[in-house]
């Protein structure tokens, strides 16, 4: 039989075994190691659950740290060995198939929580010991004479057996007695410590209030105080302690001695510093990460000291291509090299560089006195990226786009500054990249508005905020209305009526153009049915509706079926619908892209080639397109607004009309604004036209009125 793979419980027990073997030798317990391992199993299970929980809960790690103290794992080595086991094996045995980067980050936060819980529990235990010692000392002074020997014996037992350091000094600061724990903390002999004076133990890291509190205590103005204090050991190292000093009085209430209780917090402090560094620095490059950068930026912006700041937001151009082609290991080495170069650019005391994530870096300076200095910083960064980076024998060219924000502190929040830099960086990227741009408040406002419109689009369609206006299509021969082009509008709650140029590109970018286009087609076809029911098929033929089709809709696999469904639901024949496709969307189109248009044309739906003449396409391609109508772009008719008309434009239009008619195509002209234009286009042989000369886009009833006027005129 083949061996079954380890299950989650087996991996959890393996983690617990490793943990117990590491911690048991430094734990004061009467349990055997297997018994101790069973005691650790529920703690390991809780860490495993916290690692994979949907939402991170620091309380789980804190509870595990406190449970270690309850299990008598109070030695500093017990905590450090526990954290090492969690760091090395928790993700390995309990992470399953989750995102490794996220699991490692969560594991680091669990270690921090364990250390915090361990520290708080140990402190509570220490304070309890301190209270017991203080009570014993007071009882020793207050007992009657016949019990003095017994009380002193009890005090001596607590004094010598306590896990915390204890020292007694007179009010002049001369050390009288120290216990073994205090001697071990300082690593010296009792003679060295007893020969010292308390006032000699000053340290550069002392808080300003430490010695003020001490003087108040020895004067009898306070009974005790608690501070964090550093001491210099005889070997030159630093001892960090939680120090509690209490005043001991004689039977008459007069100050007599001072009692110091010390808890060694050196390893815990170093651990916290290490965890703080890991939480605020990027693991790959060693640069400050997003968290530390935001702390620094907020501090700078809230300083309110009249200084100016400069920020350069860098995004590498084409970094994804490197990852995809050479692998993430090569991408990581490139990021490390870029980080080193950026670090060399911002070496001044009031400058910093950070990695925000991915291939995004940011440089901050508060030494900026003018825009020129910030521009110089951006130029230094661009110059630092010029030299190629050699990776695995290849030379990789590094390019980047930078958004620069400069200004006085105190006017914007950190989030606003970074958003402006991000917007500006993308503006530099859209301009071709490998350059830097300075932030522009107006450009920022436009980008923010675009983002707001993009996020509001889906709900706007659901709420019915879109409506359609119709611009009539007029026959140039007899002036009759032949149909209309459907033009969608957005009635935005804040911005009012928005034209398609404001939101159609956003809808195409987000993919919402497909449901929006489907809605426009259905509403327009229903309107065409209503027009036909009102007017019937007159001498000029039935009214037709033209609907614009975006490139995204053209490539959507459900286009043909959705069009058929709409026509069937509305009861309209295909000849009432004309789909307009821009010439640029069909340049170089292959047979697969043209297949839906061919199927629609075979059904009887007309296809119009919109904006014809702007795409520089080969006219011979018209033979392979299922097109029935050419719509000339308005740029060809602008030269006809003047008198005499531009002869070049006349020749171009005449040639296009001749070619179109020879291919059995009708010609529609956009942008007709004057009667002279209309007459000239009629003479040239154009079939239909639309523009403000006839009518601006409007509600469907206006087209009904125009068609009715034609019928009765």
């Amino acid at each position: 039989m083949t061996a079954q793979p380890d299950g989650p419980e087996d991996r959890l027990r393996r983690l617990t075994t490793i943990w117990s073997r590491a911690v048991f030798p430094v734990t004061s317990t009467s349990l055997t190691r297997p018994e101790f391992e069973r005691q650790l199993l529920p703690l390991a299970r809780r860490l495993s659950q916290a690692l994979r929980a949907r939402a991170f809960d620091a309380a789980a790690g804190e509870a595990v740290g406190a449970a270690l103290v309850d299990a008598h794992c109070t030695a500093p080595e017990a905590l450090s060995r526990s954290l090492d086991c969690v760091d090395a094996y928790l993700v390995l045995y309990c992470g399953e198939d989750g995102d490794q980067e996220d699991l490692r980050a969560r594991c680091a936060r669990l270690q921090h929580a364990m250390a915090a819980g361990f520290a708080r529990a140990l402190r509570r235990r220490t304070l309890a010991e301190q209270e017991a010692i203080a009570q014993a000392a007071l009882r020793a002074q207050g007992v009657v004479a016949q019990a003095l020997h017994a009380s002193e014996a009890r005090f001596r037992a607590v004094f010598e057996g306590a896990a915390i350091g204890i020292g007694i000094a007179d009010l002049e600061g001369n050390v009288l007695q120290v216990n073994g724990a205090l001697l071990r903390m300082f690593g010296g002999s009792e003679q060295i410590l007893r020969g010292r004076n308390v006032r000699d133990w000053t340290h550069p890291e002392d808080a300003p209030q430490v010695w003020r509190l001490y003087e108040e205590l020895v004067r009898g103005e306070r009974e005790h105080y608690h501070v964090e204090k550093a001491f210099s050991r005889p070997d030159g190292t630093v001892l960090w302690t939680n120090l509690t000093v209490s005043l001991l009085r004689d039977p008459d209430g007069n100050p007599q001695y001072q009692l110091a209780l010390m808890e060694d917090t050196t390893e815990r402090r170093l651990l916290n510093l290490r965890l703080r560094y890991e939480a605020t620095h990027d693991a790959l490059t060693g640069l400050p990460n997003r968290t530390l950068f935001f702390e620094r930026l907020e501090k700078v912006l809230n300083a309110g000291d009249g200084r100016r700041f400069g920020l350069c937001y860098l995004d590498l151009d084409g970094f994804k291509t490197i990852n995809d082609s050479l692998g993430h290991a090569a991408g990581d080495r490139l990021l490390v090299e870029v980080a080193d170069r950026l670090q060399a650019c911002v070496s001044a005391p009031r400058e910093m560089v950070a990695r925000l994530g991915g291939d995004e870096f940011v440089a901050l300076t508060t030494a900026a006195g003018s825009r020129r200095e910030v521009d110089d910083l951006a130029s230094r960064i661009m110059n630092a990226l010029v030299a190629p980076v050699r990776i695995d024998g290849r030379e990789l060219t590094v390019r980047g786009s930078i958004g620069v924000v400069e200004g006085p502190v105190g006017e914007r929040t950190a989030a606003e500054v970074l958003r402006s830099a991000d917007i500006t960086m993308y503006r530099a990227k859209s301009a071709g990249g490998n350059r830097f741009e300075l932030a522009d408040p107006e450009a920022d406002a436009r980008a923010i508005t675009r983002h707001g419109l993009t996020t509001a689009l889906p709900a706007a369609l659901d709420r019915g905020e879109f409506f359609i206006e119709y611009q009539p299509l007029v026959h140039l021969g007899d002036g009759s209305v032949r149909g209309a082009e459907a033009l969608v509008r957005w009635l935005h709650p804040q911005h009012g009526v928005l034209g398609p140029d404001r939101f159609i590109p956003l809808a195409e970018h987000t993919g919402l153009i497909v449901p929006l286009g489907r809605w426009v087609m259905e509403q327009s076809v229903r309107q065409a049915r209503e027009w036909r029911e009102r007017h019937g098929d007159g001498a000029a033929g039935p009214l037709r509706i033209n609907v614009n089709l975006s490139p995204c809709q053209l490539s959507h696999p459900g286009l043909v079926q959705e069009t058929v469904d709409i026509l069937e639901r509305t009861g309209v024949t295909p000849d009432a619908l004309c789909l307009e496709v821009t010439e640029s969307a069909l340049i170089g189109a292959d047979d697969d892209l043209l297949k839906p248009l061919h199927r629609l044309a075979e059904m009887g739906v007309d296809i119009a080639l919109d904006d014809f003449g702007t795409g520089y396409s080969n006219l011979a391609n018209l033979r392979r397109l299922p097109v029935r109508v050419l719509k000339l772009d308005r740029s060809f008719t602008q030269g006809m607004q003047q008198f005499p008309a531009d002869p070049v434009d006349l020749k171009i239009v005449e040639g296009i009309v001749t070619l179109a008619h020879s291919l059995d195509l009708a010609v529609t002209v956009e942008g007709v604004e004057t009667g002279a234009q209309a007459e000239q286009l009629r003479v040239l042989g154009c079939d239909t036209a639309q523009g403000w000369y006839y009518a601006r886009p409007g509600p469907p009833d206006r087209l009904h009125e125009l068609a009715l006027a034609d019928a009765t005129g």
Side-chain angles (χ1 to χ4, degrees):
M1 295 178 62
T2 58
Q4 296 296 320
D6 289 343
E9 189 66 21
D10 294 327
R11 294 193 292 272
L12 187 65
R13 290 185 180 278
R14 189 176 302 172
L15 167 64
T16 307
T17 300
I18 296 172
W19 189 3
S20 67
R21 288 174 178 171
V23 176
F24 184 79
V26 294
T27 301
S28 301
T29 178
S30 59
L31 300 176
T32 64
R33 197 195 62 77
E35 292 173 337
F36 181 70
E37 181 176 330
R38 286 193 293 273
Q39 195 173 15
L40 290 181
L41 181 58
L43 305 185
R45 181 173 288 108
R46 187 159 188 183
L47 289 174
S48 174
Q49 293 169 349
L51 179 70
R52 293 178 285 104
R54 182 182 298 273
F56 178 75
D57 183 11
E62 294 172 359
V64 171
L68 288 176
V69 175
D70 294 339
H72 306 290
C73 303
T74 55
E77 294 86 351
L79 175 61
S80 61
R81 292 185 183 188
S82 294
L83 293 175
D84 289 340
C85 286
V86 171
D87 182 66
Y89 299 105
L90 181 60
V91 173
L92 178 64
Y93 287 124
C94 303
E96 298 182 0
D97 56 353
D99 181 83
Q100 291 299 303
E101 184 175 351
D102 179 65
L103 291 172
R104 293 301 307 170
R106 182 170 286 198
C107 181
R109 295 173 67 185
L110 280 174
Q111 294 175 60
H112 193 283
M114 283 178 60
F118 183 92
R120 280 195 286 270
L122 187 60
R123 182 180 178 187
R124 287 194 298 269
R125 176 170 172 169
T126 301
L127 291 177
E129 288 185 350
Q130 292 174 354
E131 181 65 21
I133 294 169
Q135 292 298 324
L138 292 174
R139 285 194 302 270
Q141 292 182 349
V143 294
V144 293
Q146 60 269 29
L148 181 60
H149 178 73
S151 298
E152 288 181 348
R154 288 195 299 271
F155 174 76
R156 180 57 56 186
V158 174
F159 183 82
E160 293 297 342
I164 62 173
I166 306 174
I168 300 176
D170 59 24
L171 297 182
E172 284 71 37
N174 300 310
V175 178
L176 304 178
Q177 284 183 297
V178 293
N179 71 346
L182 190 63
L183 289 175
R184 289 190 294 273
M185 288 183 193
F186 278 87
S189 65
E190 185 175 359
Q191 290 73 22
I192 294 177
L193 290 182
R194 291 185 64 178
R196 298 287 298 272
N197 189 282
V198 171
R199 290 182 175 84
D200 295 337
W201 272 315
T202 60
H203 192 274
E205 298 287 341
D206 286 343
Q209 72 272 20
V210 168
W211 293 104
R212 175 179 58 80
L213 295 174
Y214 173 80
E215 295 297 338
E216 291 176 359
L217 182 131
V218 297
R219 289 197 303 265
E221 298 173 3
R222 66 169 50 245
E223 296 301 315
H224 59 82
Y225 66 88
H226 179 83
V227 293
E228 184 180 30
K229 178 165 170 39
F231 293 88
S232 296
R233 292 190 178 105
D235 62 0
T237 60
V238 177
L239 167 69
W240 279 93
T241 68
N242 279 332
L243 172 65
T244 300
V245 183
S246 301
L247 183 65
L248 302 180
R249 297 179 182 270
D250 63 18
D252 297 328
N254 298 315
Q256 189 173 19
Y257 300 107
Q258 50 180 313
L259 174 70
L261 307 176
M262 295 185 190
E263 176 195 3
D264 186 351
T265 62
T266 305
E267 288 197 16
R268 189 192 316 160
R269 181 181 177 86
L270 293 175
L271 174 63
N272 286 335
L273 290 174
R274 189 190 79 183
L275 293 175
R276 166 67 179 170
Y277 180 87
E278 292 177 353
T280 57
H281 285 75
D282 176 51
L284 177 65
T285 64
L287 293 177
N289 63 10
R290 178 183 291 270
T291 299
L292 184 56
F293 170 73
F294 262 97
E295 290 178 5
R296 175 71 179 276
L297 181 59
E298 288 175 347
K299 183 177 180 181
V300 167
L301 297 178
N302 294 332
D305 54 4
R307 284 188 296 173
R308 300 182 71 85
F309 76 96
L311 186 147
C312 297
Y313 191 114
L314 167 68
D315 183 273
L316 300 183
D317 298 335
F319 178 73
K320 183 177 183 300
T321 303
I322 295 175
N323 266 346
D324 293 344
S325 59
L326 301 182
H328 288 273
D332 288 348
R333 291 170 61 185
L334 175 64
L335 292 175
V336 171
E337 175 64 24
V338 170
D340 291 342
R341 295 185 184 185
L342 295 180
Q343 190 70 65
C345 292
V346 288
S347 55
R350 295 166 69 180
E351 297 177 342
M352 76 171 293
V353 63
R355 182 189 178 201
L356 299 186
D359 59 334
E360 296 178 342
F361 298 85
V362 63
L364 173 67
T365 176
T366 56
S370 65
R371 174 184 165 182
R372 176 177 296 179
E373 295 180 12
V374 181
D375 288 348
D376 289 344
L377 173 60
S379 297
R380 292 202 306 271
I381 295 174
M382 296 299 297
N383 291 334
L385 301 178
V386 169
V389 177
R390 290 192 61 84
I391 296 178
D392 297 333
R394 296 182 176 89
E395 281 196 352
L396 302 181
T397 301
V398 184
R399 292 163 51 93
S401 301
I402 300 178
V404 179
V405 178
E406 184 273 338
V409 303
E411 293 186 354
R412 287 175 285 184
T413 65
E416 291 171 340
V417 169
L418 201 63
R419 179 178 63 185
S420 178
D422 188 34
I423 292 171
T424 308
M425 179 272 292
Y426 277 106
R427 183 152 51 86
K429 195 175 287 289
S430 64
N434 199 33
R435 57 188 295 155
F436 67 87
E437 294 280 350
L438 187 67
D440 176 15
E442 293 184 1
D444 289 356
R446 290 193 297 270
I448 293 170
T449 300
R450 283 197 303 272
H451 176 72
L453 293 177
T454 302
T455 56
L457 269 170
L461 184 58
D462 294 337
R463 288 195 296 260
E465 294 178 2
F466 293 98
F467 66 97
I468 301 173
E469 291 186 330
Y470 300 89
Q471 186 170 37
L473 287 163
V474 178
H475 191 272
L476 286 169
D478 56 17
S480 63
V481 176
R482 294 299 178 89
E485 179 180 359
L487 301 170
V488 64
R489 306 286 190 256
W490 182 2
L491 182 57
H492 193 279
Q494 283 80 40
H495 301 291
V497 177
L498 302 178
D501 58 312
R502 294 287 301 277
F503 61 87
I504 290 297
L506 305 179
E508 290 177 340
H509 179 70
T510 59
L512 190 70
I513 191 65
V514 173
L516 178 59
R518 186 187 309 121
W519 178 84
V520 171
M521 184 184 296
E522 180 150 10
Q523 297 300 312
S524 303
V525 171
R526 289 185 185 278
Q527 185 58 58
R529 183 191 65 185
E530 183 179 338
W531 286 332
R532 290 194 168 198
E533 290 175 349
R534 286 190 183 186
H535 303 287
D537 295 349
L543 294 178
R544 186 181 64 181
I545 189 70
N546 284 29
V547 178
N548 290 285
L549 202 65
S550 77
C552 292
Q553 291 174 275
L554 183 59
S555 59
H556 182 60
L559 172 63
V560 175
Q561 188 58 50
E562 289 173 357
T563 304
V564 171
D565 292 343
I566 290 172
L567 292 172
E568 290 180 350
R569 280 198 303 270
T570 55
V572 174
T573 57
D575 64 339
L577 176 63
C578 177
L579 296 178
E580 297 188 8
V581 184
T582 59
E583 180 187 17
S584 57
L586 297 183
I587 293 178
D590 56 20
D591 292 339
D592 289 337
L593 187 62
L594 295 177
K595 188 178 298 182
L597 294 182
H598 280 290
R599 291 181 59 189
L600 291 169
E602 291 167 358
M603 290 166 40
V605 175
D606 280 347
I607 307 298
L609 194 60
D610 197 11
D611 297 334
F612 183 77
T614 61
Y616 303 102
S617 63
N618 186 343
L619 295 180
N621 284 336
L622 291 174
R623 293 182 302 175
R624 56 188 287 267
L625 300 178
V627 173
R628 289 282 301 134
V629 181
L630 294 185
K631 290 194 71 174
L632 283 183
D633 185 70
R634 65 181 63 244
S635 60
F636 291 107
T637 64
Q638 289 176 346
M640 299 181 191
Q641 294 180 9
Q642 59 190 8
F643 184 83
D646 189 327
V648 175
D649 285 345
L650 292 177
K651 288 291 185 182
I652 292 175
V653 173
E654 183 180 13
I656 293 175
V657 171
T658 301
L659 172 65
H661 286 169
S662 68
L663 295 175
D664 198 23
L665 303 178
V667 177
T668 298
V669 185
E670 297 179 301
V672 178
E673 298 183 6
T674 66
Q677 280 180 289
E679 177 60 22
Q680 187 68 65
L681 292 168
R682 185 192 65 78
V683 171
L684 291 174
C686 296
D687 300 291
T688 55
Q690 63 186 93
W692 288 7
Y693 172 66
Y694 302 104
R696 297 194 179 196
D701 288 344
R702 183 181 301 175
L703 187 79
H704 167 65
E705 295 169 0
L706 291 172
L708 188 62
D710 289 338
T712 59

